[in-house]
Amino acid sequence: MKKDISNHYFEEAKHIFPGGVNSPVRAFKAVGGNPIFIKNAKGSHLYDVDGNTYIDYVMSWGPMILGHAPEQVLEQVNQAIWQGTSFGAPSLREVSLGKLLKERLPYLEKMRMVNSGTEATMSAIRLARGVTKRSKIIKFVGCYHGHSDSFLVQAGSGVASFGIADSAGVIEQVASETIALPYNDVKALEETFLKQGDDIACVIVEAVAGNMGLIPGDSSFIKAIENLCKEHQALFIVDEVMTGFRAHYQGAVGLYDLDPDLVCLGKVIGGGFPVAAFGGKAIYMDQIAPLGPIYQAGTLSGNPIAMTAGYETLKELTADIFQSIAQKTSFLCQGIKEAADRHGIDLQVVCQGTMFGFFFAKDPVRHFEAAKASDHKLFAQLHGLLLEEGIYLAPSQYESNFLSSQHSQEDLEKTIAAFDRVFQMIKG
């Protein structure tokens, strides 16, 4: 596989962007080597500047559930562009997407559109603090909720890949208001509420964690969060930026049959454009300006082009299409696991809806400490060898992978065969 042109662009990019990238995990630090520069994408494939082709399982970190450049979405986006790219005023397009989201996710009584998952989660905890008049929040070690200060305490995802427990620039006064507890640990949660329940504004959780590798929460753990929040009048916030329309057709909320106070959405609801949202019970959402005293705003929120992409994506994403993608994901994961077993490799393969991940570990991984203990060197070796085979996976052990409606049976069989060859090489 040639990477000469990608390497040239990366050297040039390092003089322009910190580390040569505009988001840290893209730099391939966790797996070694230089990133590839993408020229274009279509369906289930990426095409780089050196002429290499890859079956893509990153799918822009989740949004491209209909595949890259879906014609039905692009046709409508193209029409919308010629009607104006930004108004800074209400439009019917944002109403259409909002109505469709409410139809698919009835617990979204009201919502506010924003531009990124970080903006959604940041706004949700501000709302929780404003509603409860309390300052402390609970998050879970290894869960990543974006890069706002309150969340960069024992975070997963790119922060974990770089070994940063607490980012520089996050002041102690902010960090001290965040309580980080072990994931899937009901006892630690109960003890914390017993001691500090009157000070806790909210608990925010990835009910299916996707940023320390893919780790679904135990049902008893997720339900304990919901019940303790109700008991102590703290807001229960489910971060569905990644898992919305991915872990289940109705997200993790539907998977676990939850009654959240607030939910944060992103990725899929923008169809590849920068869109996110936070919403939930109207009694809380109505306390946001202009109705209430809790301020939140955004110049490009509800951008008509992004709203169009999100609407068209969700319109096409029926329950039947979702189920077909989930079946493909299960088939792929079973094939990868069987290949690992054939070569005597200890591999934990995790599949949830249209998401998948794996750990080089003997036992199932249920929390961040176990994810850290998995064999990261072996993961990095696997990633590099699969890239040579034309398989593009997330370049970090702490990230999830995704399928789309455009992944074909041939794609899946080629991928399983590539894993089999690579496992054979690893075993020597």
Side-chain angles (χ1 to χ4, degrees), residues 25 28 30-31 61 157-158 160-162 211 213 358 376 379 383 393-401:
V25 179
F28 275 42
V31 293
W61 306 95
S157 193
S161 296
F162 286 84
N211 290 290
F358 50 87
H376 290 232
F379 177 88
H383 187 276
L393 295 177
S396 168
Q397 174 67 86
Y398 296 123
E399 301 289 351
S400 297
N401 298 280

Side-chain angles (χ1 to χ4, degrees), residues 153-165:
V153 178
Q154 295 295 297
S157 193
V159 179
S161 296
F162 286 84
I164 303 170

Side-chain angles (χ1 to χ4, degrees), residues 1 3 25-28 31 34-38 44-48 53-61 68 332 356 358 379 382-396 400-403 407 415 418-419:
M1 180 183 72
K3 290 182 65 175
V25 179
R26 299 177 193 174
F28 275 42
V31 293
N34 292 339
I36 59 174
F37 276 62
I38 305 304
S44 62
H45 289 78
L46 296 175
Y47 305 90
D48 73 13
T53 301
Y54 309 88
I55 302 173
D56 181 22
Y57 292 103
V58 177
M59 303 311 293
S60 190
W61 306 95
H68 292 288
L332 176 64
F356 76 95
F358 50 87
F379 177 88
L382 174 86
H383 187 276
L385 290 171
L386 283 174
L387 206 60
E388 294 286 341
E389 293 272 348
I391 308 299
Y392 189 71
L393 295 177
S396 168
S400 297
N401 298 280
F402 307 89
L403 267 76
H407 282 86
T415 302
F419 267 91

Side-chain angles (χ1 to χ4, degrees), residues 225-417:
I225 299 172
E226 181 178 59
N227 294 335
L228 285 164
C229 282
K230 289 181 179 178
E231 181 182 343
H232 292 271
Q233 297 181 314
L235 267 59
F236 175 38
I237 305 175
V238 181
D239 181 348
E240 296 254 43
V241 170
M242 181 181 293
T243 57
F245 299 100
R246 274 292 185 183
H248 180 275
Y249 189 58
Q250 291 188 308
V253 171
L255 179 66
Y256 293 99
D257 190 24
L258 302 175
D259 179 29
D261 294 304
L262 297 173
V263 173
C264 301
L265 295 164
K267 299 189 185 293
V268 168
I269 72 165
F273 282 76
V275 176
F278 67 102
K281 291 181 167 45
I283 191 174
Y284 304 129
M285 293 300 295
D286 281 346
Q287 296 198 43
I288 294 174
L291 293 181
I294 301 167
Y295 195 74
Q296 183 278 331
T299 300
L300 291 176
S301 296
N303 174 274
I305 312 307
M307 295 295 96
T308 301
Y311 176 81
E312 295 298 329
T313 296
L314 290 181
K315 189 179 75 172
E316 294 293 327
L317 183 62
T318 64
D320 287 344
I321 288 176
F322 180 91
Q323 187 58 33
S324 72
I325 305 170
Q327 289 171 352
K328 293 177 188 178
T329 309
S330 180
F331 175 85
L332 176 64
C333 288
Q334 182 179 347
I336 293 171
K337 176 61 176 170
E338 289 174 353
D341 290 345
R342 275 196 299 275
H343 296 286
I345 292 175
D346 291 322
L347 190 71
Q348 300 296 321
V349 183
V350 188
C351 172
Q352 183 59 64
T354 66
M355 305 167 63
F356 76 95
F358 50 87
F359 300 92
F360 287 99
K362 290 185 178 180
D363 300 312
V365 175
R366 297 180 56 252
H367 47 70
F368 189 47
E369 291 305 312
K372 287 198 298 183
S374 64
D375 194 330
H376 290 232
K377 289 184 178 179
L378 199 53
F379 177 88
Q381 182 183 4
L382 174 86
H383 187 276
L385 290 171
L386 283 174
L387 206 60
E388 294 286 341
E389 293 272 348
I391 308 299
Y392 189 71
L393 295 177
S396 168
Q397 174 67 86
Y398 296 123
E399 301 289 351
S400 297
N401 298 280
F402 307 89
L403 267 76
S404 76
S405 62
Q406 297 304 301
H407 282 86
S408 66
Q409 187 66 23
E410 182 183 4
D411 289 334
L412 305 182
E413 291 173 358
K414 281 184 177 179
T415 302
I416 292 168

